[in-house]
Amino acid sequence: MACTGRFAPSPTGELHLGNLRTALASWLSARARGGRWIIRMEDVDTARCRSSLGDAQLRDLAMLGMESDGPVLWQSRRGGSYQAALQRLFGQGGLYPCICTRKDLAAMASAPHGEDGLRAYPGTCRHRPLPFLRPDALRFRVPEGAVAWDDLLLGPQDDDPALLTGDPLLHRRDGCYAYHLAVVVDDGEQGVDEIVRGQDLRGVTATQVRLQEALGLPRPAYAHLGLVTAPDGSRLGKRDGALGLAMLAHKGIGPELVVGWLGWSLGCLERPEPAAAGDLVAGFRWDRVPPGPVAVPAAWT
Ligand SMILES: [Zn+2]
């Protein structure tokens, strides 16, 4: 099968520069490998997601020259595949019901905090039997042991899922399938062999690898990009504005300038100058992408 990259935003708001940088890096890497690139809408959390926001995100990506090879996949329409995966895990004894409330989970303050701000579930309900698969809060019994992978950007990594996430929730009490299940099932079914995403998600990789293994899916390559920060290096906050294409256009910063700045920040250009996405492909290589955070120009905020 042809190699496949993907960009998988949640349609909960406008794409900001950090999202657009991730999209462009995944697109460039797929194109540089002569592969496909697909867009997937991670809208399993139907309470927070809006299809109109997803459509606006697709328009923004198209404005920067990035369009999905093949139909955009919406996770909210994929319940059948997620249920089949749950059935398979259930058959292996890999699931258990969790009756912890939000309050219980918040009270588990002594649980270790991962470097990415994750709170590991301590396994309180691990002993609970699950005699039949029922629509309940269900967790994946993550196998013991660390997971090693060679990150395209960060080099050799070694994480213990028990310390970072604990047993992840795969199905929620409200009937929604959870993020880890949907991501892993879809990447597997769509033949995604390279996952590019922000370093804020690095801490869930080991957990997702364990889920891939349990479902018999191949392991993709991973690249965890540094985040886009405020001009002074601090985390981008509300005071910096949304930093989406609409706001930048309002300041006279058009799509070619945005693409050029993103391409420069990914090591494809000597300086930030107007560019089209296609112009950047020849200059893209993972060993030229700086692994750390990148600060947005002060004039843009
Ligand atoms: Zn529990």
Side-chain angles (χ1 to χ4, degrees):
M1 195 190 304
C3 50
T4 302
R6 52 85 153 170
F7 179 59
S10 292
T12 55
E14 195 188 6
L15 294 176
H16 56 70
L17 274 179
N19 306 132
L20 295 170
R21 186 168 182 262
T22 299
L24 184 60
S26 64
W27 186 88
L28 287 170
S29 183
R31 288 292 180 262
R33 299 190 298 148
R36 300 168 66 233
W37 184 78
I38 51 178
I39 301 174
R40 183 170 77 222
M41 285 293 162
E42 302 208 325
D43 63 339
V44 277
D45 187 348
T46 48
R48 291 175 59 233
C49 297
R50 298 279 174 277
S51 63
S52 59
L53 292 171
D55 291 337
Q57 292 179 341
L58 295 175
R59 284 195 295 275
D60 280 359
L61 292 166
M63 210 184 305
L64 299 189
M66 294 178 275
E67 291 183 78
S68 185
D69 297 323
V72 174
L73 186 139
W74 295 73
Q75 290 188 325
S76 55
R77 299 166 198 170
R78 303 229 335 117
S81 286
Y82 306 147
Q83 191 58 33
L86 279 185
Q87 190 69 50
R88 178 166 176 167
L89 294 168
F90 170 72
Q92 300 167 5
L95 300 178
Y96 62 86
C98 175
I99 61 162
C100 300
T101 63
R102 200 178 287 266
K103 211 171 144 192
D104 293 334
L105 295 171
M108 294 167 191
S110 60
H113 289 253
E115 62 192 272
D116 301 304
L118 294 167
R119 177 176 295 179
Y121 176 70
T124 316
C125 298
R126 258 196 165 202
H127 65 282
R128 292 188 186 282
L130 185 65
F132 57 94
L133 187 59
R134 56 189 202 229
D136 209 339
L138 300 170
R139 287 187 187 272
F140 171 53
R141 198 184 301 277
V142 71
E144 278 178 28
V147 174
W149 79 93
D150 202 5
D151 197 284
L152 292 168
L153 208 54
L154 304 175
Q157 305 289 303
D158 190 11
D159 275 348
D160 187 346
L163 297 179
L164 290 177
T165 65
D167 295 337
L169 204 61
L170 299 189
H171 187 267
R172 298 183 350 190
R173 198 169 291 126
D174 65 8
C176 289
Y177 297 94
Y179 162 73
H180 294 292
L181 181 71
V183 167
V184 166
V185 168
D186 287 343
D187 283 331
E189 280 194 25
Q190 295 190 286
V192 170
D193 66 349
E194 184 181 272
I195 294 177
V196 180
R197 56 189 183 188
Q199 274 169 31
D200 52 337
L201 286 171
R202 198 200 64 93
V204 303
T205 300
T207 304
Q208 293 182 354
V209 165
R210 286 295 189 222
L211 196 49
Q212 284 156 9
E213 291 168 352
L215 291 169
L217 297 170
R219 187 193 298 194
Y222 286 95
H224 289 96
L225 281 178
L227 301 184
V228 174
T229 70
D232 65 358
S234 65
R235 211 179 173 86
L236 272 176
K238 286 251 183 321
R239 69 195 157 81
D240 303 300
L243 277 182
L245 289 187
M247 200 274 279
L248 291 169
H250 189 68
K251 295 190 168 190
I253 302 155
E256 295 84 8
L257 261 178
V258 174
V259 169
W261 182 80
L262 293 171
W264 165 79
S265 81
L266 293 167
C268 304
L269 295 174
E270 295 279 317
R271 63 192 70 78
E273 57 199 4
D279 301 338
L280 305 172
V281 176
F284 179 84
R285 276 175 33 185
W286 280 113
D287 59 8
R288 289 184 189 153
V289 180
V294 55
V296 73
W300 289 19
T301 62

